[in-house]
Amino acid sequence: MLRQGNHQTPANRPFIPPKSHPVYTGRYLLATNEISNLYNTISRWIDCRTPGGIIYGRPRIGKTRALKFLLSQLPEEYGEDLPIFIINCRHYKTPNESVFFEDMLRDVGHEFFANGKANVKRGRLSMFLIERGLSSKENRVIVIMDDAQELHEMHYKWLMDIHNELDRANVQLTVILVGQKELINQKSAFIAMKRAQIIGRFMVHEYPFKGVCTVDDITTCLVGYDDESSYPEGSDCSFTQFFFPKLYAEGFRLATYADLVYETFQEMRRKANIPGKFEIPMQYLTTTVEFILTQYGFDGVNVDALTKEEIKNAIEFSGYINSETYSEMN
């Protein structure tokens, strides 16, 4: 049974409209070990002027959050004028040049994404990317193709056309393919078919994006809530402090529970007979933490301490066990 705590509003808790905190809205980014590793890898690719590479991992592993982090942080290192675009690859039953370039124009934010035939759209996209690349101090454009496992061979050939047109204009294009493990199968198929141009342009480098695998990974994530976040902006009130104001003032930190969180995940995996190595998709860890903050903090039961049973309830709510069990059935 949950224990009722003290609901008297503390003076050190900022007042904001109900349910407007980023923990409720999901509009926040916190670095993790894996995101930091990915950032360093992408930075090396950019520094070495690599034309492209693959980032792959299982679904809900945290790739989308990582991409948002890249969008926010790369300009700080390479300049605010660095053009970075995320293209959402749709499911294409058959490749269609007009549809493909229209989708790309829409995702880069071009006003006239639907006008004209395929060759006109391709030219419009090339000119847009060239203009943006030439306006940056490094004559560079970064294009991230999300859900890239949906791409067909013909799509890569059309991307090569764009790459060549930017190269002739002295603009360096780096294409980063992000998707599920099928991307590696696609690369193997291209190797078997001797598609050296596609591999050389877009698939030379690989990075396997992982979930949360160690206690240190969990600790880094929890420290983000404890010390490396703040809301409202300029308040210096971390997420943990906002939801546990009284306990936070007394020294409470989520990071001190990292071992217990890890052990509880492990225990629940064993009980559910989930095989394989320990790896938690980031979605489930963040949902677990958000449940703890909202349900056991000041806005919820407002407990006097955090217990293993409450951590277990949060993990159950995240859907992690059900998802892993379902994955093993398929």
Side-chain angles (χ1 to χ4, degrees), residues 62-79:
K63 298 187 294 295
T64 299
R65 283 178 179 260
L67 295 183
K68 291 179 180 178
F69 185 84
L70 289 175
L71 278 176
S72 67
Q73 297 299 312
L74 283 174
E76 293 189 11
E77 181 172 351
Y78 295 96

Side-chain angles (χ1 to χ4, degrees), residues 48-67:
C48 296
R49 308 190 78 81
T50 298
I54 296 174
I55 300 167
Y56 65 95
R58 58 185 295 191
R60 296 177 298 279
I61 206 74
K63 298 187 294 295
T64 299
R65 283 178 179 260
L67 295 183

Side-chain angles (χ1 to χ4, degrees), residues 155-188:
H155 291 125
Y156 288 104
K157 292 182 177 179
W158 294 330
L159 284 173
M160 281 197 298
D161 292 338
I162 297 295
H163 188 282
N164 292 337
E165 290 177 24
L166 266 65
D167 186 61
R168 285 192 288 270
N170 294 318
V171 174
Q172 171 73 33
L173 174 64
T174 296
V175 176
I176 300 172
L177 306 171
V178 180
Q180 299 176 26
K181 294 180 180 180
E182 291 90 332
L183 269 175
I184 299 301
N185 298 334
Q186 288 180 347
K187 178 178 178 178
S188 299

Side-chain angles (χ1 to χ4, degrees), residues 53-283:
I54 296 174
I55 300 167
Y56 65 95
R58 58 185 295 191
R60 296 177 298 279
I61 206 74
K63 298 187 294 295
T64 299
R65 283 178 179 260
L67 295 183
K68 291 179 180 178
F69 185 84
L70 289 175
L71 278 176
S72 67
Q73 297 299 312
L74 283 174
E76 293 189 11
E77 181 172 351
Y78 295 96
E80 292 295 332
D81 60 354
L82 175 68
I84 309 175
F85 303 102
I86 294 183
I87 308 298
N88 297 302
C89 300
R90 284 75 172 175
H91 176 69
Y92 302 99
K93 187 174 182 180
T94 56
N96 182 293
E97 188 175 11
S98 180
V99 170
F100 180 63
F101 286 121
E102 180 173 321
D103 286 344
M104 291 194 68
L105 284 165
R106 181 188 293 108
D107 287 348
V108 300
H110 200 287
E111 182 179 1
F112 304 108
F113 60 85
N115 295 14
K117 296 182 179 180
N119 62 324
V120 175
K121 293 175 182 176
R122 181 176 61 185
R124 186 180 298 127
L125 177 64
S126 295
M127 287 304 302
F128 176 83
L129 295 178
I130 288 171
E131 289 171 3
R132 293 297 301 273
L134 291 177
S135 67
S136 69
K137 64 180 181 181
E138 297 193 19
N139 286 24
R140 187 195 307 267
V141 175
I142 311 296
V143 172
I144 300 171
M145 308 292 290
D146 197 13
D147 281 330
Q149 72 275 356
E150 301 291 351
L151 297 178
H152 296 252
E153 180 181 355
M154 188 58 67
H155 291 125
Y156 288 104
K157 292 182 177 179
W158 294 330
L159 284 173
M160 281 197 298
D161 292 338
I162 297 295
H163 188 282
N164 292 337
E165 290 177 24
L166 266 65
D167 186 61
R168 285 192 288 270
N170 294 318
V171 174
Q172 171 73 33
L173 174 64
T174 296
V175 176
I176 300 172
L177 306 171
V178 180
Q180 299 176 26
K181 294 180 180 180
E182 291 90 332
L183 269 175
I184 299 301
N185 298 334
Q186 288 180 347
K187 178 178 178 178
S188 299
F190 288 148
I191 292 174
M193 293 187 292
K194 302 186 186 302
R195 300 296 192 263
Q197 282 191 320
I198 293 176
I199 296 168
R201 295 288 177 86
F202 308 118
M203 296 180 165
V204 169
H205 298 287
E206 301 175 7
Y207 184 87
F209 191 84
K210 301 185 293 295
V212 175
C213 300
T214 66
V215 172
D216 184 56
D217 290 340
I218 294 175
T219 301
T220 299
C221 179
L222 297 182
V223 166
Y225 289 92
D226 289 336
D227 303 319
E228 298 172 357
S229 54
S230 65
Y231 191 84
E233 186 176 349
S235 68
D236 292 327
C237 181
S238 75
F239 291 2
T240 305
Q241 181 180 356
F242 182 85
F243 285 94
F244 288 96
K246 180 177 178 293
L247 292 182
Y248 190 90
E250 297 170 357
F252 172 88
R253 298 295 185 272
L254 289 174
T256 60
Y257 292 86
D259 286 306
L260 186 57
V261 171
Y262 180 82
E263 291 168 8
T264 307
F265 266 105
Q266 287 277 37
E267 181 181 297
M268 294 175 70
R269 282 172 55 90
R270 287 193 297 269
K271 186 175 180 180
N273 294 317
I274 298 172
K277 65 178 183 179
F278 181 88
E279 182 182 23
I280 310 168
M282 194 63 195
Q283 171 185 319

